[in-house]
Amino acid sequence: MAERAAGSFWPSGRVRRPADVGRLCWYAGGLLVLVLLSVVVPGATDAVVPPGLRGLPRGVVGVVNAVASLSALAALLGLAVDALRSRRFALSSAGLAGLLGAALAVAAQRAGEAGWIAALGPAGEPAVIPVATGLAVVVGTDRSRSVRLTLLAFSALATMTVCALALGSLTVAGAVAAVLIGAGAGFGVRVAAGVVPARPAEEEVLAVLARAGVAVDAIRTLQVAAGRARYAARDTAGDVLVTVVDPDRRGVTVARRLWRVLRFRTPAVGRPALSLRGVLERQALVSSLAGTAGVAVPRVQALLAAGPALVLVERPLGGTPLLSATDAPDSSLEGAFAALRRLHDAGIAHGALTERAVVLLPDGGVGLGELQYAQPAAGELQRDLDVVALVVTVAARMGVPRAVAALRAGYTPRPVDEHRLVGLLQPLALVRPVRRTVAGTAVLEDLRAAVTAPDRGRAAPVQRLERVRLRTLVSVAGGTVAAIVLASQLSEVPLGDALRQARPGWLAVALLGSALTYVGAGLALAAFVPARLPLVRTCLVQLASSFVTLVTPPTVGHVGLNIRYLQRAGIPTASAAATVGVGQVVTVGGTLLLLVVAGWLSGVSPSQPSLLPSGNVLAVLLVAAGILAVALAVPGTRRALRARVEPLLRRTIPQLLAALTDPRRLGTALFGVVLQNAGYVLALDASLRAFGTSLDLPALVVVYLVASTVGSAAPTPGGLGAVEAALVGGLTATGVPLAAALTAVLAFRAATFWLPAPLGWVAFTVLQRRDRI
């Protein structure tokens, strides 16, 4: 089969390498960026060739260019002859790549001459075409084969490019475009047409095994997965398991392992080998160490090379998967945990315990297989994750009581160890097969209840395993997009002229409105506190929260600081949390009431009273309602919202009902909410008037309240990015010019967010020194 594939110009059984797909995306993305820069930012790609290069003697440069051109032609001919002799499909792939590269280079040259993109070179000497075509041919032949000819071709093409720059027949943008077009065309053909697989044929594997002293007549395919193929065979000594690492698919496993390293904390994943050779070498080492520790594991017999591929030869464990039947005896389950304990005592973490990995041996013992993810010198968290994986796997098949009993009898963990394991009973701690098995069941919850010691009162908190959470990535991505959009808008607005024309008096009014917000927040908090609190000190705590929100989401830091303040004031923790919760509920309720009233007033006019908001305000409300509806349509969002709202309501409803019976406190709280929102609206209105524009009060209130709601939901510190985008969008939607909206929002955020932060730090420090927070 391999000989037929090598001798055919269009063989069957071709494969597409993930690494080639990634490189194609890289070069295509680079070419797209180059085109966008030359179109959107004219002059950005007009890099100047260094004078020293242009000053070289043209005669010498011409001779070097001729030699490089002949060397490149000779290397290409050598690659063609090599392909014709041993792998003719490479000749077909190179021809297609050359044609595609030449066509793209000609199109790019014509686009540059027409002025659509930056010029790539003079009209009469299009050096971009031969460079791109030659590079496409070299890449299309699959350069991983003839290394010397490939290096010669690359060196010659690089010299040709430098000479073309010196002679003026190629611009810097043209040189970059030639490389991107040529490489992109070569990888594009390799992805579209595929490549002849480099994995050795079965006959070659048999020959390699025979040279290593493993004489087998035939091998049977067990599994062909990403990056590897597994075969079964049998010789005079027994069964043989052969793993062949596929160099054409190595990008898949490396990418997955790299993603795990980036996503999870180092104590959770250790330091996994990223190269396939490292993976197999580590597997051989682990097998030897485990055997020395008395753990029955597959014995590695040889690690061999078969061309560019690697071949691992193992003696598998004889027996059947322990958990394949529901009638496994308790002694065998305890033996599985005892074997894992011995493995851990040797400093080894298994890393992939599933049903198939636990084997019941013919003599009644228990062994552990599937060691490709095992790591020596493992940390405590890695070993704990092994225990969690095994106990969950056993519980899913044999029931929670038997799993917990086997854990305590076979692994004999200490109570403190069990308490630590409870925090790891989460889906993220499980390998994918186990996670799929327990999905939609109550196995994890039952295990937490069974393992939690009665004298501890409650289970351990869930341990964090991820280095970067999805929410953090989304926040960073959203903030980046918002910054790009804001920067693009700011580039169209003469901010310098607008700021010079600002009216200082109105900016001072904006600062006054900002100060009123802290008085309103202090009144809203103090209204529900059972004890009497000094208003000035309470307002200082609200000012201190402006510093805390620089490093925390807006609601989280504010709530935590208020609870701490009430605790220091002698109020029990439960009452403090309930008081702050009641304040939050009243604030949300008052804000919604203000939003409804302002929306209705925006549609009322002396000539035409209406029960609907005005058109601009209605547009803002509809957009906000649409975003909320889309968010609530996601089941995960609904569950997260319910998980946050339900406990809050349960804690606050009794105290809220008690507050309703005291009109004075309720009135004070509502006055504080109105004063707080009025301060923000005053600051926003003054910021608009400082730059010569204004907005109707009802519409202004609606825009601010919608932006405030968006900022409270955003996970960024202080709602950064979300508030600015919502305010600019709301103001422009209601008719405010973009320039005025941008400058007013910047002034508003400076008055209400940035300038109070240093004063908040001073207040925070003073209150902390006086033991008030």
Side-chain angles (χ1 to χ4, degrees), residues 650-745:
R650 289 176 181 173
R651 291 195 307 265
T652 59
I653 283 179
Q655 197 159 347
L656 182 61
L657 294 177
L660 292 176
T661 61
D662 189 344
R664 184 183 61 83
R665 289 193 173 187
L666 184 61
T668 303
L670 291 177
F671 175 74
V673 172
V674 173
L675 181 62
Q676 184 180 9
N677 287 288
Y680 281 117
V681 172
L682 176 62
L684 181 57
D685 181 64
S687 300
L688 285 169
R689 294 180 185 274
F691 297 99
T693 187
S694 61
L695 197 63
D696 292 338
L697 182 60
L700 187 67
V701 172
V702 171
V703 169
Y704 162 70
L705 291 178
V706 170
S708 176
T709 303
V710 172
S712 298
T716 55
L720 195 61
V723 173
E724 287 83 354
L727 283 174
V728 172
L731 291 175
T732 53
T734 51
V736 178
L738 177 61
L742 283 171
T743 51
V745 167

Side-chain angles (χ1 to χ4, degrees), residues 19 27 37 76 137 171 183 195 206 217 282 295 319 327 331 381 401 405 468 482 490 515 572 677 723:
Y27 287 109
L37 280 176
L76 294 177
V137 170
T171 63
V195 296
L206 290 174
D217 297 330
R282 180 172 288 184
V295 183
D327 57 348
S331 58
L381 182 56
V468 179
L490 290 175
N677 287 288
V723 173

Side-chain angles (χ1 to χ4, degrees), residues 29 138 149 208 265 281 341-342 347 386 545 577 582 591 617 668 690:
V138 176
L149 289 174
V208 169
R265 297 169 54 214
E281 289 175 348
R341 183 69 176 192
R342 291 194 299 274
D386 275 352
S545 68
V582 169
T591 301
V617 173
T668 303

Side-chain angles (χ1 to χ4, degrees), residues 355-748:
E355 292 184 9
R356 294 176 51 189
V358 185
V359 180
L360 180 62
L361 304 177
D363 60 358
V366 178
L368 301 176
E370 307 286 340
L371 295 176
Q372 58 266 30
Y373 297 104
Q375 291 189 41
E380 181 182 69
L381 182 56
Q382 290 178 270
R383 299 195 297 269
D384 288 345
L385 290 174
D386 275 352
V387 179
V388 168
L390 183 57
V391 74
V392 171
T393 303
V394 174
R397 299 289 297 180
M398 307 295 174
V400 171
R402 297 186 66 190
V404 174
L407 166 69
R408 290 170 173 166
Y411 199 84
T412 60
R414 297 173 300 170
V416 65
D417 297 332
E418 291 189 5
H419 187 67
R420 192 174 62 248
L421 294 177
V422 173
L424 293 173
L425 287 169
Q426 51 181 300
L428 198 62
L430 307 176
V431 294
R432 185 176 301 175
V434 180
R435 190 163 59 243
R436 289 176 178 173
T437 302
V438 300
T441 67
V443 171
L444 294 179
E445 291 77 6
D446 295 342
L447 278 173
R448 291 191 195 101
V451 177
T452 301
D455 58 345
R456 290 188 177 269
R458 60 178 182 174
V462 175
Q463 292 194 38
R464 180 177 176 181
L465 301 176
E466 291 175 294
R467 188 193 307 272
V468 179
R469 295 181 177 179
L470 180 61
R471 184 173 64 180
T472 304
L473 294 177
V474 172
S475 301
V476 172
T480 303
V481 172
I484 293 173
V485 172
L486 184 60
S488 64
Q489 293 175 341
L490 290 175
S491 65
E492 303 173 1
V493 178
L495 286 180
D497 296 339
L499 291 175
R500 282 192 293 270
Q501 297 174 3
R503 303 174 183 176
W506 284 112
L507 294 179
V509 174
L511 291 175
L512 175 62
S514 176
L516 290 177
T517 62
Y518 300 107
V519 178
L523 288 172
L525 176 65
F528 297 106
V529 178
R532 184 177 180 83
L533 296 177
L535 180 59
V536 175
R537 186 190 303 160
T538 307
C539 294
L540 284 177
V541 173
Q542 308 314 304
L543 179 61
S545 68
S546 65
F547 165 70
V548 177
T549 52
L550 282 177
V551 293
T552 62
T555 305
V556 176
H558 177 71
V559 170
L561 187 62
N562 281 333
I563 292 177
R564 181 67 173 172
Y565 169 60
L566 296 182
Q567 288 176 330
R568 290 296 187 183
I571 298 174
T573 303
S575 299
T579 298
V580 175
V582 169
Q584 291 294 312
V585 171
V586 172
T587 300
V588 172
T591 301
L592 291 177
L593 181 61
L594 288 174
L595 184 61
V596 172
V597 172
W600 175 74
L601 289 177
S602 67
V604 176
S605 65
S607 60
Q608 187 179 359
S610 173
L611 295 178
L612 293 176
S614 64
N616 292 334
V617 173
L618 187 60
V620 174
L621 293 177
L622 288 177
V623 170
I627 295 174
L628 182 62
V630 171
L632 292 178
V634 180
T637 304
R638 292 199 303 271
R639 288 194 296 268
L641 186 62
R642 183 177 179 181
R644 294 194 177 197
V645 172
E646 272 193 4
L648 177 63
L649 292 179
R650 289 176 181 173
R651 291 195 307 265
T652 59
I653 283 179
Q655 197 159 347
L656 182 61
L657 294 177
L660 292 176
T661 61
D662 189 344
R664 184 183 61 83
R665 289 193 173 187
L666 184 61
T668 303
L670 291 177
F671 175 74
V673 172
V674 173
L675 181 62
Q676 184 180 9
N677 287 288
Y680 281 117
V681 172
L682 176 62
L684 181 57
D685 181 64
S687 300
L688 285 169
R689 294 180 185 274
F691 297 99
T693 187
S694 61
L695 197 63
D696 292 338
L697 182 60
L700 187 67
V701 172
V702 171
V703 169
Y704 162 70
L705 291 178
V706 170
S708 176
T709 303
V710 172
S712 298
T716 55
L720 195 61
V723 173
E724 287 83 354
L727 283 174
V728 172
L731 291 175
T732 53
T734 51
V736 178
L738 177 61
L742 283 171
T743 51
V745 167
L746 291 177
F748 170 76

Side-chain angles (χ1 to χ4, degrees), residues 15 17 142 145 195-201 204 245-248 306-309:
V15 297
R17 298 173 181 162
D142 189 359
R145 310 305 176 107
V195 296
V196 176
R199 189 173 65 220
E204 186 176 355
V245 167
D246 187 350
D248 291 317

Side-chain angles (χ1 to χ4, degrees), residues 186-249:
F187 285 116
V189 170
R190 280 164 58 167
V191 170
V195 296
V196 176
R199 189 173 65 220
E202 295 182 3
E203 295 81 4
E204 186 176 355
V205 174
L206 290 174
V208 169
L209 293 178
R211 288 196 296 270
V214 182
V216 297
D217 297 330
I219 55 178
R220 176 171 52 89
T221 303
L222 292 179
Q223 179 189 27
V224 178
R228 68 184 66 230
R230 308 187 76 180
Y231 303 95
R234 186 174 181 83
D235 63 356
T236 56
D239 293 331
V240 178
L241 183 63
V242 181
T243 303
V244 179
V245 167
D246 187 350
D248 291 317
R249 301 286 293 173

